[in-house]
Amino acid sequence: MTPLNDHQLDQLRDERKEQIKKAALKVFACRGLIGTKMSMIAQEAGISQGLSYRYYSSKDELFIALVQDAMEETAKAFAAFGLMKGSPLEKIKEFTINMLDESNRHSFMLIQQVQTSDEVPDKAKNIVQQYPTSSLIEQMTPIFKEGQEKGEFSKGDPAELLMLYFSVISGLMLLPHGLDGVNLIHHVDNLMKILKE
Amino acid sequence: MTPLNDHQLDQLRDERKEQIKKAALKVFACRGLIGTKMSMIAQEAGISQGLSYRYYSSKDELFIALVQDAMEETAKAFAAFGLMKGSPLEKIKEFTINMLDESNRHSFMLIQQVQTSDEVPDKAKNIVQQYPTSSLIEQMTPIFKEGQEKGEFSKGDPAELLMLYFSVISGLMLLPHGLDGVNLIHHVDNLMKILKE
DNA sequence: GTCTATAAGTCGATAGAC
DNA sequence: GTCTATCGACTTATAGAC
């Protein structure tokens, strides 16, 4: 067996860090920062409780790293929205399906916790505040206006329509998956009726 | 000052218990069972931490009492639905506004916690299971069928339409109030478009 | 690198003063 | 009836064996 060089060791370490983050996101998203014990994350990742601290120096640090990742993912999802093809309705539909996907849902639940709980580290709050929800949402305004001009969407203040749409999507994202086994993706067409006249 | 008789003393005690429950519902709903410290409830109720235990012998007992109340309230809200006046659409609209009311939202968030967390007392789980969500929801089926027959609602499996409606409402109920200041009540008419053709 | 054992701190619950 | 002080259990984070 050839000994591993520094680069390979670093890579191995990064892989383990990713393994811990993946386990932690699942548990933090469902149970919150305080409701999650380091032992739960360790168990989910298949390692001992003490070992976690060789990769993240504290529970808070791990939580903050996850929040950072989640915000970057979310910002990317909104940015990608501007580049989508098709009619306004088709764009919103694709965006909606993307948002309701499981991995996005966990990230979103984490961010929601940071925004609503006052027991998360200040550093986590600061990260989330760097990407104001309003500016994220406002990236969608042009598509809504276009949808109204083309007669695909109902008339009225586009900001209000956008806000209602976003509230509904946010609510669905917070729903524990499989509430009574509804396949939400299957119903996206029905959901889109909120936007139409 | 006339000394109070037994009945009056009991009544005073009950009032204090209600005061504690009201404070506890607010905190439990937002932070969950584990995320809530008895000291938070005591502070919200304006009493000392130790005094809470003169009225509820444990944090779990207090939580269970709240779950019991919440389930009874919820069951009542669904039962009242059958007695409402007006067209199917008007009934659903009234029901929706009722559900999105703050006091109902907190009860619903509590029940959702019992259903999704596995760290709540068994007794709480048992109470919630006594009122199966499915049977609660199914009380609305006749109205949906009627709405479809009258052409007010979109065609297709009424159970699926009902499920979509209920998922959306559930999601909105779980939303921390005032997410970016949307007045949801004001948008109920738009929401109802999900049901229409 | 990974685990087990333990020290320090936190919170639920109780005891005892007023 | 209410509060303050404290005990015991549990959790985070570290120390030390392998």
Side-chain angles (χ1 to χ4, degrees):
Chain A
M1 189 74 150
T2 316
L4 275 52
N5 62 30
D6 283 6
H7 176 70
Q8 286 171 319
L9 283 171
D10 269 12
Q11 194 177 336
L12 232 52
R13 190 181 160 79
D14 283 350
E15 281 172 18
R16 176 126 283 190
K17 284 190 88 164
E18 278 306 314
Q19 174 193 358
I20 295 173
K21 275 208 288 197
K22 192 181 165 187
L25 175 60
K26 191 171 169 182
V27 188
F28 276 136
C30 297
R31 315 174 81 103
L33 177 60
I34 304 175
T36 300
K37 314 298 166 214
M38 285 301 271
S39 58
M40 297 175 185
I41 296 172
Q43 190 177 16
E44 180 75 28
I47 60 174
S48 75
Q49 190 260 38
L51 186 57
S52 319
Y53 288 91
R54 296 278 167 194
Y55 295 89
Y56 292 94
S57 65
S58 71
K59 190 167 99 161
D60 278 8
E61 190 201 314
L62 175 53
F63 185 81
I64 290 165
L66 287 169
V67 171
Q68 179 73 52
D69 284 5
M71 276 311 316
E72 283 169 11
E73 278 301 309
T74 302
K76 224 182 284 179
F78 274 89
F81 178 69
L83 306 169
M84 287 177 184
K85 303 290 171 200
S87 71
L89 195 67
E90 282 164 354
K91 286 183 191 173
I92 305 276
K93 204 174 138 181
E94 191 182 332
F95 178 79
T96 304
I97 291 170
N98 186 25
M99 293 292 270
L100 294 176
D101 179 74
E102 170 132 22
S103 64
N104 276 321
R105 273 186 37 247
H106 283 159
S107 291
F108 189 81
M109 286 162 82
L110 204 72
I111 294 168
Q112 201 76 9
Q113 284 172 28
V114 176
Q115 285 178 328
T116 59
S117 164
D118 41 34
E119 272 170 347
V120 298
D122 284 348
K123 210 166 170 179
K125 284 218 179 278
N126 290 338
I127 291 167
V128 172
Q129 282 166 2
Q130 279 174 20
Y131 306 78
T133 314
S134 53
S135 76
L136 250 32
I137 299 179
E138 278 162 16
Q139 295 182 52
M140 302 175 74
T141 308
I143 308 294
F144 270 70
K145 283 185 178 161
E146 189 190 332
Q148 287 180 322
E149 284 162 12
K150 289 187 173 173
E152 286 183 355
F153 294 180
S154 71
K155 297 186 175 42
D157 184 358
E160 279 202 7
L161 192 61
L162 178 49
M163 220 42 125
L164 175 69
Y165 162 76
F166 200 73
S167 297
V168 171
I169 299 301
S170 298
L172 291 174
M173 288 176 83
L174 294 180
L175 233 40
H177 189 57
L179 175 89
D180 301 303
V182 204
N183 183 352
L184 289 165
I185 305 289
H186 178 248
H187 282 300
V188 172
D189 281 324
N190 271 321
L191 227 41
M192 292 300 106
K193 286 194 290 193
I194 295 174
L195 302 175
K196 297 178 193 169
E197 191 54 67
Chain B
M1 191 76 152
T2 316
L4 274 53
N5 63 29
D6 284 3
H7 175 71
Q8 287 171 317
L9 283 172
D10 270 9
Q11 193 176 336
L12 233 51
R13 189 178 161 80
D14 284 349
E15 281 172 18
R16 176 127 282 192
K17 284 188 89 165
E18 280 304 318
Q19 174 193 358
I20 294 173
K21 275 209 288 197
K22 192 180 164 188
L25 176 61
K26 190 171 169 183
V27 187
F28 276 135
C30 297
R31 315 175 81 102
L33 177 60
I34 303 175
T36 300
K37 316 298 166 214
M38 285 300 272
S39 57
M40 297 175 185
I41 297 172
Q43 190 178 14
E44 179 76 28
I47 60 175
S48 75
Q49 190 258 35
L51 185 57
S52 318
Y53 288 91
R54 296 278 167 194
Y55 294 89
Y56 293 94
S57 65
S58 73
K59 191 166 98 161
D60 278 7
E61 191 201 312
L62 174 53
F63 185 81
I64 291 164
L66 287 170
V67 171
Q68 179 73 52
D69 284 5
M71 277 310 319
E72 284 170 11
E73 279 300 310
T74 303
K76 223 182 283 178
F78 275 89
F81 178 70
L83 307 169
M84 286 178 185
K85 303 291 172 199
S87 72
L89 195 68
E90 283 165 354
K91 286 181 190 173
I92 305 276
K93 203 173 139 179
E94 190 180 334
F95 178 78
T96 303
I97 291 169
N98 186 25
M99 293 290 271
L100 294 176
D101 181 75
E102 169 130 25
S103 64
N104 275 321
R105 274 188 36 247
H106 283 160
S107 291
F108 189 81
M109 288 162 82
L110 204 71
I111 294 167
Q112 200 77 5
Q113 285 172 26
V114 176
Q115 285 177 330
T116 59
S117 165
D118 41 32
E119 273 169 344
V120 300
D122 284 348
K123 211 167 170 178
K125 285 219 177 280
N126 290 338
I127 290 168
V128 171
Q129 280 165 4
Q130 279 174 18
Y131 306 77
T133 315
S134 53
S135 77
L136 249 32
I137 298 179
E138 278 162 15
Q139 294 182 53
M140 301 174 76
T141 308
I143 307 293
F144 270 69
K145 284 185 177 161
E146 191 190 332
Q148 288 181 322
E149 285 162 10
K150 290 188 173 172
E152 286 184 353
F153 293 0
S154 73
K155 296 185 174 44
D157 183 358
E160 280 202 7
L161 191 62
L162 178 48
M163 220 41 122
L164 176 68
Y165 162 77
F166 200 72
S167 297
V168 171
I169 300 301
S170 299
L172 291 174
M173 287 174 84
L174 294 180
L175 233 41
H177 189 58
L179 175 89
D180 300 305
V182 202
N183 183 354
L184 288 165
I185 305 289
H186 177 248
H187 283 299
V188 173
D189 281 323
N190 271 322
L191 229 40
M192 292 299 108
K193 285 194 290 193
I194 295 176
L195 303 174
K196 297 179 193 169
E197 190 54 65

